[in-house]
Amino acid sequence: MALVENDMINQPLHYVGEQGLEVEVVLQNFIPRYEDPYVGHRIASAIEYLLRSPLKNGQQDIEKARKNLDQALVYMEAIE
């Protein structure tokens, strides 16, 4: 990937993969599969944290992802 200026508003580098794929594109393609909007939101947040973790907050982002997944699971269990 060519060295580019980090645009923290429109295209932060921690949300762009090695080959230019953006997290936003991944989310647009997969999150609509979730019927429940709350679950979709929690999963999307987890994905964002996991994919950005190597370039942003490391372990803390992985822990945040886990918290989002736990929230989704608690919610899903409660509505069963």
Side-chain angles (χ1 to χ4, degrees):
M1 188 164 108
L3 184 61
V4 295
E5 186 175 330
N6 192 7
D7 181 344
M8 292 300 291
I9 302 299
N10 298 304
Q11 194 176 39
L13 294 181
H14 56 272
Y15 285 123
V16 180
E18 294 297 314
Q19 297 178 5
L21 181 63
E22 294 189 42
V23 172
E24 182 68 17
V25 174
V26 173
L27 297 178
Q28 288 173 357
N29 278 274
F30 287 90
I31 297 306
R33 295 178 177 176
Y34 289 92
E35 292 181 15
D36 187 289
Y38 180 78
V39 173
H41 174 70
R42 296 272 57 96
I43 299 300
S45 292
I47 291 168
E48 286 186 21
Y49 281 125
L50 290 171
L51 294 179
R52 81 181 200 179
S53 67
L55 297 180
K56 195 140 191 232
N57 299 316
Q59 182 177 342
Q60 183 183 64
D61 278 348
I62 295 170
E63 292 170 359
K64 289 177 181 180
R66 179 172 54 192
K67 179 174 180 159
N68 276 274
L69 294 174
D70 287 343
Q71 289 171 322
L73 289 168
V74 166
Y75 174 83
M76 291 169 74
E77 290 166 0
I79 63 172
E80 285 183 347

